[in-house]
Amino acid sequence: MNSISVVIPTRGRHRFLRQALESVLAQGYAPHEIIVVDDGAGAAEAVAGMHEAITVLDNGRRGPVPARNMGVAHATGDCICFLDDDDWFTDNGYFAQVAEAFGRGADFCFCDGILRFEDGRPDLPFAFDADQETLTRDNTILISGVVYRRALHRALGPFDETLPFYWDWDWYLRVARGGHPLTHIRKAVVAIRVHAQNMSGQSLEAQRRDNLDRFSTKHALPPIPLKNHLDIATQAPGKPPAPREP
């Protein structure tokens, strides 16, 4: 059996964090451990008494990518699963499904999801394939719900902390180029909360552009248009245009 360490980085979103944790604890295939990495303050108090499997680490406000590296460094399970603190699992059977995939030899699994809008707009599905070739153009993988063998870090190293906006895309491409197939669980099992705090708006556009250019240079790619997961979902055939970001 493959054990799963769930890593949840967080900063000041305690109400959302508890919902994320409850969705992990509701999985029929119980996780080996749940590691909450606090990049702010107060997470330990917010989750106190929820479950003995939960450990809270202090990241010292070093940022979200160092927080993820810290969580991975402390994990002891065979596999790493990421869940953002403002997202949650909607399918209690997801861990069982990925455990079966790893039992058949998978190295890396990703799932479909829904974008859930805080302003009451209808949910928007997010369901896209991804492989080594498509990842040179777009990041069509949701980090929440990604599960992969922890041993991949021994071969590929930690997450790149110089890419704060595109560290996840960088990781997926490193995994794929390393010869590890990406297994797509074709089922919406995670809800991605879309709200003002997690939308990369115009105020960050210059930083995102610079970060994306560094990502492209690192992987010897041509210039890539700037977009986010909401843009990708709404630009799919038959979808309405994306609303302007705040």
Side-chain angles (χ1 to χ4, degrees):
M1 300 293 285
N2 291 278
S3 57
I4 299 174
S5 294
V6 182
V7 177
I8 304 178
T10 189
R11 186 169 186 174
R13 298 196 287 219
H14 300 152
R15 177 172 59 87
F16 293 163
L17 174 61
R18 289 188 66 91
Q19 183 180 12
L21 287 166
E22 288 166 355
S23 76
V24 174
L25 294 169
Q27 289 291 317
Y29 185 100
H32 170 67
E33 61 190 349
I34 305 171
I35 301 173
V36 175
V37 186
D38 192 357
D39 195 46
E45 293 79 10
V47 305
M50 281 193 71
H51 198 277
E52 60 185 10
I54 300 172
T55 299
V56 181
L57 306 177
D58 182 2
N59 188 51
R61 297 179 184 269
R62 294 184 301 122
V65 187
R68 295 178 190 274
N69 277 329
M70 174 180 276
V72 169
H74 281 77
T76 58
D78 301 317
C79 302
I80 300 292
C81 173
F82 276 112
L83 182 65
D84 282 354
D85 64 350
D86 52 349
D87 302 334
W88 68 98
F89 290 112
T90 58
D91 187 325
N92 296 345
Y94 180 54
F95 284 8
Q97 192 165 358
V98 296
E100 289 178 4
F102 284 107
R104 295 191 298 270
D107 285 339
F108 182 106
C109 294
F110 67 99
C111 64
D112 297 337
I114 58 168
L115 304 185
R116 173 68 53 84
F117 296 92
E118 288 270 282
D119 63 10
R121 277 177 285 163
D123 291 344
L124 188 63
F126 193 96
F128 298 91
D129 287 324
D131 57 31
Q132 180 177 335
E133 194 276 327
T134 66
L135 286 169
T136 64
R137 301 189 302 271
D138 277 325
N139 177 13
T140 53
I141 298 178
L142 300 170
I143 185 58
S144 287
V146 158
V147 189
Y148 60 88
R149 293 190 188 276
R150 184 165 58 92
L152 290 180
H153 285 287
R154 290 201 295 269
L156 303 174
F159 302 128
D160 188 342
E161 296 181 6
T162 71
L163 296 172
F165 292 99
Y166 298 105
W167 67 271
D168 54 341
W169 192 352
D170 171 71
W171 176 245
Y172 309 148
L173 195 50
R174 287 159 62 192
V175 170
R177 285 180 167 176
H180 306 282
L182 310 180
T183 300
H184 184 184
I185 305 297
R186 301 174 185 276
K187 190 177 184 182
V189 303
V190 67
I192 308 300
R193 195 187 309 266
V194 181
H195 54 94
Q197 283 182 292
N198 69 354
M199 290 298 293
S200 300
Q202 294 177 353
S203 63
L204 297 176
E205 185 169 345
Q207 296 176 50
R208 291 173 60 220
R209 180 70 266 171
D210 176 72
N211 214 229
L212 186 55
D213 289 344
R214 278 189 281 149
F215 165 83
S216 300
T217 299
K218 176 179 179 177
H219 291 284
L221 301 175
I224 300 173
L226 196 63
K227 65 182 73 172
N228 57 30
H229 281 141
L230 178 58
D231 296 327
I232 292 171
T234 54
Q235 289 170 12
K239 298 294 191 302
R244 292 187 61 83
E245 298 179 0

